[in-house]
Amino acid sequence: MGVAFSLAVVGVLILAITLAVEVLGLRFLVGAVLPYVAVAVFLGGMVYRLLGWGRSPVPFRIPTTGGQQRSLPWIKPSSLDNPSSTAGVIGRMALEILLFRSLFRNTKAELHGGPHLAYHWEKWLWLGALVFHWSMLLVVIRHLRFFTDPVPSFVYWVEGIDGFLRVGLRALYLTDITLLLGVTYLLLRRFFIPQVRYISLPGDYVPLFLLLGIGLSGVLMRYFVGVDVAAVKELALGVLTFRPRIPEGIGVLFYIHWGLVCALLAYFPFSKLVHMGGIFLTPTRNLPNDSRARRHVNPWNYPVKVHTYEEYEEEFREKMKLAGIPVEKE
Amino acid sequence: MKIPDMRYIITGIVVFLVVMTFPFWYNIGKAASAPQVSLDTPRIREMAEPQCVEPASYMRANHMRLLEEWRDRVVRGGERTYVAGDGKEYLMSLQNTCLDCHSNYDEFCALCHDYAGVAPDCWTCHLEFPRESK
């Protein structure tokens, strides 16, 4: 159900773009209007989501950690898994964001012949996610050659390293392969692992199908069906310099690629993909576990009106004496 | 309600926006139009009706594929003659056919390659052209 629906969503998107470009001739709409809408929704949506999370109260530390907390001097603390200082938190966040440390701890639980629960080594998700995310980053950096004039030198470095293999005369980008492999793995695991399949929703499949569509259309353009790259860059730069124009001679495949990227950008803030920003605001990751060393006062505590015993006795002393209740001050 | 960490979050958002809009502010004031390659070479001037091996629109998108095909057919297949889509025959040679007409490297090849950020290594072997841009 989720798969069919998600596939239909991406299919309809591709059909709509093809129809708009080929039949209705709305090249300007797809090529020059859509990206502005998509980028505005992406940036505005991300800022909105981040501010929303920022305003959410985090009254205390949530020490869901995988290591020994810092306590007595002779007990060795786990300073990266259970940091007690800002530096430790930065280390933990860096490991989380760059190397996906939480996923590395992933295990597979299985019942064996009755009530024997066994935990298995399971690093495939970590590996697949790592491969996909890093490939995606490098692919995006490589694409800057279409978005900058002149092209900065770091883009050439990335291209040079990424494209050191050759097919025929031209570079075969490793990240093109690893990106598609990564997305395919992340998709197949949702198909074939029963538990994962059970919890998978259209919100899980749509981003994967979108990424797969973007990757495949890009690979098709680069390796199989030629596009006029100079014209494509002219279109991209026209959008970026706010003088949009649609050069002649760009095939529909480019518009599909471009349109799907716009769809992904616009969908980003409303989907699970916001984890790009959310990872930075994860309370279980970004707070040092120092609850025992520092007192954390709930920031939105209002001043509570109290009536102390001294004030009480002051008010009722005479009545208490009459009733024979002992008082502290005569 | 005061949120002590808000300043970090705002800083993060600003950094995010600056990084994400990099292509916008990097290109401020750039002309952005694709370079106009020059066809003004002695050999092309000689032609009554300037014409490439295949139509220009095809060449713009696929010249690298054509060169790849030529390389394979010449070096591996030993063929030398290319029959174009319009039936004309050409000698399959980068140096003696392509670059014979397009002898203006800096106003032809380099313009688009620099614009699109590609650095093909054809010229590490074929015809040394003076290169000033890089």
Side-chain angles (χ1 to χ4, degrees), chain A:
Chain A
M1 167 59 205
V3 183
F5 174 78
S6 315
L7 208 54
V9 167
V10 179
V12 165
L13 267 176
I14 293 174
L15 279 179
I17 297 164
T18 313
L19 192 75
V21 170
E22 290 286 276
V23 182
L24 304 173
L26 298 170
R27 279 159 205 268
F28 193 81
L29 184 75
V30 178
V33 179
L34 197 60
Y36 287 122
V37 176
V39 168
V41 170
F42 171 65
L43 294 179
M46 285 302 284
V47 170
Y48 175 78
R49 294 295 295 259
L50 288 170
L51 285 177
W53 286 321
R55 275 198 295 268
S56 306
V58 182
F60 47 77
R61 309 289 139 129
I62 312 171
T64 56
T65 52
Q68 172 64 48
Q69 181 180 4
R70 199 174 101 89
S71 55
L72 297 167
W74 45 271
I75 298 175
K76 197 179 166 216
S78 175
S79 51
L80 278 175
D81 278 325
N82 199 344
S84 57
S85 64
T86 309
V89 166
I90 291 171
R92 173 163 74 177
M93 290 299 285
L95 284 174
E96 185 64 39
I97 290 162
L98 302 175
L99 299 172
F100 307 168
R101 195 173 165 85
S102 294
L103 281 187
F104 193 71
R105 274 202 282 270
N106 187 32
T107 50
K108 190 171 94 181
E110 230 174 37
L111 274 174
H112 282 277
H116 296 292
L117 184 62
Y119 293 96
H120 294 266
W121 184 93
E122 215 284 296
K123 302 280 182 247
W124 297 114
L125 175 61
W126 170 78
L127 192 68
L130 205 62
V131 163
F132 164 71
H133 281 85
W134 278 101
S135 306
M136 190 74 200
L137 176 68
L138 291 176
V139 167
V140 168
I141 290 176
R142 256 184 23 221
H143 272 72
L144 284 178
R145 79 185 176 97
F146 299 112
F147 295 113
T148 51
D149 185 34
V151 180
S153 52
F154 69 88
V155 178
Y156 281 103
W157 301 341
V158 172
E159 261 179 26
I161 296 166
D162 194 3
F164 77 95
L165 288 180
R166 290 292 161 102
V167 172
L169 292 173
R170 289 166 299 136
L172 169 72
Y173 291 124
L174 282 179
T175 47
D176 283 348
I177 301 169
T178 50
L179 180 113
L180 286 180
L181 280 181
V183 177
T184 309
Y185 168 73
L186 294 176
L187 190 61
L188 289 183
R189 90 177 246 287
R190 290 196 181 274
F191 290 164
F192 291 116
I193 302 175
Q195 294 92 330
V196 181
R197 187 185 170 88
Y198 184 74
I199 60 165
S200 294
L201 298 168
D204 299 307
Y205 290 118
V206 169
L208 286 171
F209 284 130
L210 266 180
L211 286 166
L212 207 57
I214 290 166
L216 286 176
S217 56
V219 161
L220 273 180
M221 271 192 292
R222 163 138 190 106
Y223 301 101
F224 300 102
V225 189
V227 285
D228 184 349
V229 173
V232 165
K233 180 159 180 177
E234 192 176 5
L235 186 150
L237 282 183
V239 168
L240 290 170
T241 52
F242 299 101
R243 284 189 292 267
R245 80 205 89 162
I246 302 297
E248 287 298 307
I250 304 179
V252 70
L253 194 56
F254 165 76
Y255 286 101
I256 291 174
H257 188 68
W258 180 259
L260 287 181
V261 171
C262 289
L264 187 77
L265 279 179
Y267 178 53
F268 217 94
F270 309 102
S271 66
K272 63 189 290 194
L273 300 169
V274 276
H275 70 260
M276 179 171 87
I279 186 78
F280 290 93
L281 293 180
T282 311
T284 54
R285 303 279 99 198
N286 68 9
L287 295 172
N289 186 12
D290 56 0
S291 316
R292 293 181 180 183
R294 271 183 55 209
R295 178 157 185 247
H296 296 280
V297 179
N298 190 344
W300 69 92
N301 273 355
Y302 52 88
V304 179
K305 266 199 185 139
V306 289
H307 197 217
T308 60
Y309 178 73
E310 285 76 17
E311 289 163 358
Y312 174 87
E313 197 184 282
E314 210 63 52
E315 196 177 338
F316 297 106
R317 183 167 296 119
E318 297 312 313
K319 290 190 169 99
M320 289 166 80
K321 279 185 188 164
L322 283 174
I325 299 171
V327 289
E328 287 186 350
K329 270 201 296 190
E330 283 304 322

Side-chain angles (χ1 to χ4, degrees), chain B residues 56-129:
Chain B
S57 60
Y58 175 83
M59 294 306 287
R60 258 184 235 122
N62 291 298
H63 62 280
M64 58 303 249
R65 285 173 187 79
L66 189 77
L67 286 174
E68 210 169 290
E69 187 197 326
W70 281 19
R71 198 264 323 248
D72 287 355
R73 282 168 68 179
V74 171
V75 178
R76 297 179 190 164
E79 294 174 59
R80 270 291 176 185
T81 314
Y82 177 74
V83 183
D86 60 1
K88 277 194 190 167
E89 292 192 351
Y90 293 92
L91 175 70
M92 282 195 279
S93 166
L94 172 68
Q95 218 159 292
N96 300 320
T97 306
C98 305
L99 302 181
D100 185 41
C101 286
H102 300 294
S103 53
N104 50 345
Y105 177 79
D106 280 320
E107 289 84 46
F108 192 78
C109 311
L111 276 185
C112 279
H113 288 159
D114 284 350
Y115 181 69
V118 280
D121 52 9
C122 307
W123 292 277
T124 48
C125 299
H126 292 280
L127 287 189
E128 216 173 287
F129 286 100

